[in-house]
Amino acid sequence: MDLNERAKKVLQAVIDNYIQTGAPVGSAVLARSYDFSLSSATLRNIMADLEELGYLTHPHTSAGRVPTDKGYRYYIDALISVEHDTAGISRQMEQAAVLQSGEIGQLMEEASHFLAKLSHHTGVVVAPAEPEGRYKHIEFVRLRGNQVLIIFVTNTGAVLNKLVEMDETVPQHELNAFSSYLDEELEQHSLSEVRQRLVERLREEKAGFFRLLEQTHRASQEVRERDSDKVYIGGASQIFDSPEFADIEKMRSLFRAFEDRYKLVKLLDKTSAAEGIKVFIGSENPFFEMQGCSLVVGNYQAGNVVGTLGVIGPVRMQYRQVIQVVDYTSRLLSRILDERLKKGIER
Amino acid sequence: MDLNERAKKVLQAVIDNYIQTGAPVGSAVLARSYDFSLSSATLRNIMADLEELGYLTHPHTSAGRVPTDKGYRYYIDALISVEHDTAGISRQMEQAAVLQSGEIGQLMEEASHFLAKLSHHTGVVVAPAEPEGRYKHIEFVRLRGNQVLIIFVTNTGAVLNKLVEMDETVPQHELNAFSSYLDEELEQHSLSEVRQRLVERLREEKAGFFRLLEQTHRASQEVRERDSDKVYIGGASQIFDSPEFADIEKMRSLFRAFEDRYKLVKLLDKTSAAEGIKVFIGSENPFFEMQGCSLVVGNYQAGNVVGTLGVIGPVRMQYRQVIQVVDYTSRLLSRILDERLKKGIER
DNA sequence: CTTAGCACTCAAACTTTGTGAGTGCTAAGA
DNA sequence: TCTTAGCACTCACAAAGTTTGAGTGCTAAG
C-alpha cells in the first residue's frame, strides 16, 4: 500500500528474481545483480521491513526472501497497468495461431492447447453457456413409431439434437407441418428467446401440437445444458515441468481437479464476472484450495455469447507473459467467433 | 514352457505375492505363506532355476525375486483359460453399471470412467470408426447465399453435420428436392454403403445436382473422419496410486502419451485385431515403449460396427480382476449399442 | 533330492559432519 | 538519521559413514 519508491523497487526486484530462478533471493545477490547502489546490509533492512508488512517471507532463518501471495498481488497490480505492449511477443503468437477449425468443439480444444503451448502451463477453455447464432431451422425426423429426433439449426451452423419418445405416433407430414410453423414463428431469434417463445406458445396452445410443443421445449432446454459448459483442457502435462509440483501429492490433487470438470467450470465462471484479464494468486483462488496455484482468466465473446478461458499454473509463473497470452487468445477467439457470427447473420 | 508342476506353482505363488505386495518375494515368505511343504532352501533352488529360464529376476543380489515380462506372460496364459467365472464380481459390477446416457459420446465417456473405477487404473474407450445405424434422412439447410449445412441422420438417432460453401447459390426448394431424392435412394443403407453409392451417382450424374452431390460425398467422408476414432480417457489420475509410477519421469511420459490421442488410437487399434480380451505386458506393448505399462484390451461391437476399449496400468496389476472388468464392460457396451441399433431398425 | 547352517551381499534407513548462503545485530562513519 | 562494514549465529542441504536386516548362494549332512 504505502511503500516508498525504494521499497517498491526492491520488492519488484526480489519477485522478478524469484520468478526467474525459483530460489529464495538473498541480499547479496540483489545488491550485485541490480544497481541499487546500496549495500547488502541496507537491502537487508529494507527486506526486513517488507517482511514485517507481509510482502515477503523466510522459508527458514538463514535463507533468502520469498514473495508471499500478498507480495505477488502488489507486484501484479503495479504491473498490469504498465504493460500493454502487444508488439513483439504478439507477433510471435500470431504465427503460432492457426486456429481455424470448422467445428466449434475442435476450435476450443485447439485454443486450450494454444494457451498451454505459449504459456508453458495448463490451458483451459470453457465453452459458452449458450451456443452461438440464431434460430434458423428445426427438423423433426421420425425414427421408429414413437421416436422422434429433434434437430435445431442456427444460422452459424451449430447443430443441436435430441432424441425424444412420444406418447403417440405422429406421422411425418404432421411433423413437417409443425416444423414449418415453428420456422416462421422463431426465425432469427436467439436461442434464449426461442425457449421463451416456446413457453408462451405452450400456454396458448390448447390441442393438436401440444405434446410435440412440450417435447420441443424440453429438448431445447436439455440440449442447452448438455452442450454448454464443456471444458477443454490443454497441456495438463505441463505441470510436470514446474518444480513446485514435484511433490506427488500436490500433483495428484491438481490432476484430480482437472478431472472434475464441473468444479473447474464453477471456478472459472466464478472468477470471470468482469471484463479484462484477472489474476488469482494462490490462496486468493475463490474455490477449492488449489495448492499453490495461480489462475489467469479472461473472457471471450461474440454477440451476447460469453465464454471463459485461462491458464492454471504455479504461483511462481511468468505473469507478464501469461497475461499477454491470455489476453491475446481471448481476443483471437472473440474475433474468430465474431466472424462466424457475421457470416451467419448476412442471410 | 516346459516347467514341471512344482515350478509352475512356485512361479504362480511368486507372482501372486508380488502383485499383492509390490515387494520382491523372498524364499522365506514363500515357504511361510503358501503350503509347499518345502523349505526355503529348496524354494531358493527352484527360484534360481526359474531365474535361469527367464521368468524371474533379481533387482540386486540380496533381494527377493521379481517376475519378468516373460514370467507375467506365462502367468496370464495359464490364467486366462482357467478364469471365466462371471458370477460374484460381475454382480457387483452390474450395480455400478449405470451406463444409460442418450448421447453416444457421453456414453463412451461414462464407459471409460466405469473401467477406471472398477479396475483402479486408467480406462480408455475408442469410438467406433463408423457411427452406428443406417441412413435415415438427409437435410440441407441454406444459411447464407452460398453456405449450406448438410445434416445426416441415422435410424439410431446419430446426427452428423458439415458446413460447406457452394460455388453458386442453390435455392432452398432445390435443396429440398435433392434431399427427397437422396432419402429414397439411400434409405436403410449403412454409412459405408452410402458413401459408395454417392460415388456411383457422381459418375453417372452429368449436370444439375452435380456440385451438390460432390459436396455431399465429401461431407460424408469428412464427417466420418472427424467423428470417428475419438478417444475417451477416464481416471488418468489413478496413475498416482500406483507406486511404480512414483518416478516423476515415468508419470510425465505416461500423461504425455494420454494427451497424444492419436498415438493412443493407433496403439489400441493395433492390438485389437482379434476377438476376446488381450493382455500386453510391458515391453510386449506393440507401439511406443510405455514405461512399465500393461494393457488389457477388448472389443465391443454392435452390428458390424466395432470399437476398442481397455485398461492401462502398471505391469504389476491385478490381472484377474482387470480382465474381468474389461470383459464385462465390452459386453455391456455391446449390449447397449445393440439395443439402440435394434430400436432403430424396427421402423 | 531336500534341508539346515553359515558366510556374504547390498539397498535402504539413519546418523554424523562439514559447508556456505544468508541473516540479525552492533557500532562506526557520513 | 540513514548507511554500511563486520561478525557471530543459524540452518538446510549434501556428502560420507554406519547400521540393519532381508535375502542369497554354497556346502555338507540327512
Side-chain angles (χ1 to χ4, degrees):
Chain A
M1 323 284 163
D2 43 351
L3 293 183
N4 62 46
E5 211 44 47
R6 200 177 62 173
K8 276 186 199 170
K9 278 202 174 158
V10 172
L11 180 56
Q12 177 123 355
V14 171
I15 299 183
D16 271 341
N17 195 292
Y18 183 69
I19 285 179
Q20 278 248 328
T21 65
V25 185
S27 55
V29 185
L30 219 52
R32 222 178 303 124
S33 311
Y34 303 77
D35 46 345
F36 287 113
S37 20
L38 288 174
S39 76
S40 64
T42 310
L43 290 170
R44 258 193 317 271
N45 286 334
I46 301 172
M47 283 158 94
D49 293 348
L50 284 169
E51 183 162 1
E52 188 123 350
L53 290 168
Y55 295 108
L56 296 176
T57 359
H58 255 162
H60 54 87
T61 326
S62 75
R65 287 336 202 275
V66 166
T68 61
D69 288 355
K70 190 179 170 192
Y72 277 117
R73 172 87 282 155
Y74 196 93
Y75 173 81
I76 286 166
D77 287 346
L79 192 86
I80 282 188
S81 53
V82 179
E83 301 285 334
H84 228 315
D85 136 78
T86 30
I89 299 174
S90 188
R91 186 154 310 146
Q92 180 201 334
M93 293 186 201
E94 201 89 48
Q95 289 197 322
V98 278
L99 304 177
Q100 13 205 10
S101 177
E103 225 252 310
I104 185 134
Q106 223 164 327
L107 177 67
M108 309 253 145
E109 181 86 35
E110 278 170 33
S112 75
H113 282 108
F114 179 72
L115 281 168
K117 192 175 161 198
L118 287 184
S119 70
H120 302 296
H121 301 294
T122 302
V124 183
V125 179
V126 182
E130 193 81 70
E132 9 130 55
R134 289 169 169 274
Y135 180 96
K136 172 73 193 183
H137 177 57
I138 197 166
E139 182 78 20
F140 298 93
V141 182
R142 200 182 120 203
L143 296 181
R144 185 200 177 194
N146 293 350
Q147 274 191 331
V148 174
L149 184 68
I150 305 179
I151 306 175
F152 294 89
V153 181
T154 74
N155 60 358
T156 55
V159 177
L160 311 171
N161 67 84
K162 173 96 176 81
L163 191 63
V164 302
E165 190 99 18
M166 303 293 296
D167 292 341
E168 61 210 289
T169 305
V170 187
Q172 182 70 51
H173 66 87
E174 269 190 35
L175 292 174
N176 292 347
F178 186 53
S179 150
S180 305
Y181 163 71
L182 287 181
D183 274 2
E184 253 172 54
E185 210 45 38
L186 302 173
E187 170 141 52
Q188 284 300 330
H189 285 87
S190 76
L191 293 191
S192 56
E193 287 166 357
V194 163
R195 276 196 303 282
Q196 208 180 315
R197 287 204 153 216
L198 285 174
V199 175
E200 287 166 17
R201 292 292 164 289
L202 258 179
R203 292 227 187 76
E204 299 164 12
E205 202 83 18
K206 295 278 145 51
F209 289 142
F210 185 81
R211 292 288 300 144
L212 200 48
L213 192 55
E214 196 181 10
Q215 289 284 11
T216 306
H217 174 246
R218 190 174 305 161
S220 75
Q221 279 192 311
E222 279 183 30
V223 142
R224 178 189 174 219
E225 278 158 28
R226 191 210 308 150
D227 289 352
S228 71
D229 281 355
K230 281 201 176 165
V231 189
Y232 301 88
I233 297 176
S237 67
Q238 303 268 12
I239 291 175
F240 289 96
D241 297 336
S242 298
E244 21 270 293
F245 294 122
D247 177 13
I248 296 255
E249 271 317 308
K250 280 188 186 169
M251 208 139 64
R252 160 195 270 149
S253 67
L254 248 184
F255 273 98
R256 284 270 158 78
F258 288 161
E259 276 183 10
D260 189 350
R261 311 256 154 160
Y262 176 72
K263 245 186 176 173
L264 214 55
V265 172
K266 282 263 182 180
L267 173 67
L268 288 220
D269 275 1
K270 208 150 195 174
T271 61
S272 75
E275 281 279 306
I277 308 300
K278 276 194 165 184
V279 181
F280 294 85
I281 300 153
S283 53
E284 292 176 9
N285 191 320
F287 228 84
F288 48 83
E289 302 294 0
M290 290 222 277
Q291 309 260 28
C293 277
S294 279
L295 209 57
V296 179
V297 273
N299 297 320
Y300 60 90
Q301 61 174 28
N304 48 5
V305 164
V306 182
T308 311
L309 89 193
V311 167
I312 298 178
V315 172
R316 180 176 79 83
M317 65 160 82
Q318 304 261 25
Y319 289 98
R320 269 172 237 258
Q321 195 199 330
V322 173
I323 288 170
Q324 280 199 351
V325 168
V326 172
D327 185 52
Y328 179 78
T329 311
S330 68
R331 283 173 212 280
L332 182 65
L333 205 52
S334 297
R335 208 177 64 216
I336 294 174
L337 290 176
D338 229 35
E339 273 164 25
R340 290 166 62 113
L341 206 60
K342 282 216 190 82
K343 254 194 190 169
I345 282 175
E346 313 168 29
R347 56 181 330 271
Chain B
M1 321 290 164
D2 43 350
L3 294 182
N4 63 48
E5 212 45 47
R6 200 178 58 173
K8 277 184 198 171
K9 279 201 171 159
V10 172
L11 179 56
Q12 178 122 355
V14 171
I15 299 184
D16 271 342
N17 195 290
Y18 183 70
I19 285 179
Q20 278 247 329
T21 65
V25 184
S27 55
V29 184
L30 220 53
R32 222 178 303 122
S33 311
Y34 302 77
D35 48 343
F36 287 114
S37 22
L38 289 174
S39 76
S40 66
T42 312
L43 289 171
R44 253 183 333 261
N45 288 333
I46 301 172
M47 283 157 95
D49 294 347
L50 285 170
E51 184 163 2
E52 188 123 354
L53 290 168
Y55 295 108
L56 297 176
T57 2
H58 253 164
H60 54 88
T61 327
S62 74
R65 288 336 201 279
V66 165
T68 61
D69 289 354
K70 189 179 171 191
Y72 277 115
R73 173 84 283 157
Y74 196 94
Y75 174 80
I76 285 165
D77 287 347
L79 190 87
I80 283 188
S81 53
V82 178
E83 300 287 332
H84 228 314
D85 137 76
T86 29
I89 298 174
S90 187
R91 187 155 309 148
Q92 181 200 335
M93 292 185 201
E94 202 88 49
Q95 288 196 322
V98 277
L99 304 176
Q100 12 205 12
S101 176
E103 224 252 311
I104 185 135
Q106 224 165 327
L107 177 68
M108 308 252 147
E109 181 84 36
E110 278 170 32
S112 75
H113 282 109
F114 179 73
L115 280 169
K117 191 175 162 198
L118 288 183
S119 69
H120 303 296
H121 301 292
T122 302
V124 182
V125 179
V126 181
E130 193 81 70
E132 11 130 52
R134 287 166 172 276
Y135 180 96
K136 173 73 192 184
H137 177 56
I138 196 165
E139 182 78 18
F140 298 93
V141 182
R142 200 182 121 202
L143 296 182
R144 182 202 181 193
N146 293 351
Q147 274 192 332
V148 174
L149 184 68
I150 305 178
I151 305 175
F152 295 89
V153 180
T154 74
N155 58 357
T156 55
V159 176
L160 313 171
N161 68 84
K162 175 98 176 75
L163 191 63
V164 301
E165 189 99 19
M166 303 293 296
D167 292 340
E168 61 210 287
T169 305
V170 188
Q172 182 70 51
H173 67 87
E174 267 191 35
L175 291 173
N176 292 348
F178 187 52
S179 153
S180 305
Y181 164 72
L182 287 181
D183 274 2
E184 251 173 54
E185 209 43 40
L186 301 173
E187 169 141 52
Q188 285 299 329
H189 285 87
S190 76
L191 293 191
S192 57
E193 286 165 359
V194 163
R195 275 196 304 282
Q196 208 179 317
R197 286 203 154 215
L198 286 174
V199 175
E200 286 166 17
R201 290 295 165 284
L202 258 179
R203 292 228 186 75
E204 299 164 10
E205 201 83 16
K206 295 278 144 55
F209 289 142
F210 185 80
R211 290 289 299 146
L212 199 49
L213 192 55
E214 196 181 11
Q215 289 285 12
T216 306
H217 174 246
R218 192 175 303 161
S220 74
Q221 279 190 312
E222 279 183 29
V223 141
R224 177 191 175 219
E225 278 159 26
R226 190 210 309 151
D227 289 352
S228 70
D229 281 355
K230 281 203 177 162
V231 190
Y232 302 88
I233 297 177
S237 67
Q238 303 268 11
I239 291 175
F240 289 96
D241 297 335
S242 298
E244 21 271 291
F245 294 123
D247 177 14
I248 296 252
E249 271 317 306
K250 279 187 186 169
M251 208 139 65
R252 159 193 272 150
S253 67
L254 247 184
F255 273 98
R256 285 270 158 78
F258 287 162
E259 276 183 8
D260 189 350
R261 311 254 154 161
Y262 176 72
K263 244 184 176 174
L264 214 54
V265 173
K266 280 265 183 177
L267 172 68
L268 288 220
D269 275 1
K270 207 151 194 172
T271 60
S272 74
E275 280 278 309
I277 308 300
K278 275 193 167 186
V279 181
F280 293 86
I281 300 153
S283 54
E284 292 176 10
N285 191 319
F287 228 84
F288 48 83
E289 301 294 0
M290 290 221 279
Q291 308 263 29
C293 276
S294 280
L295 208 58
V296 180
V297 273
N299 298 320
Y300 61 90
Q301 59 175 26
N304 49 5
V305 164
V306 182
T308 311
L309 90 193
V311 166
I312 299 178
V315 171
R316 178 176 80 82
M317 66 160 80
Q318 303 262 26
Y319 289 98
R320 268 172 239 259
Q321 196 198 330
V322 173
I323 288 170
Q324 279 198 351
V325 169
V326 172
D327 185 52
Y328 179 77
T329 311
S330 69
R331 282 174 212 280
L332 183 64
L333 205 51
S334 298
R335 208 178 63 217
I336 292 173
L337 290 176
D338 230 34
E339 273 163 24
R340 289 167 63 112
L341 206 61
K342 281 217 191 81
K343 254 193 190 170
I345 282 173
E346 313 168 27
R347 61 183 325 275

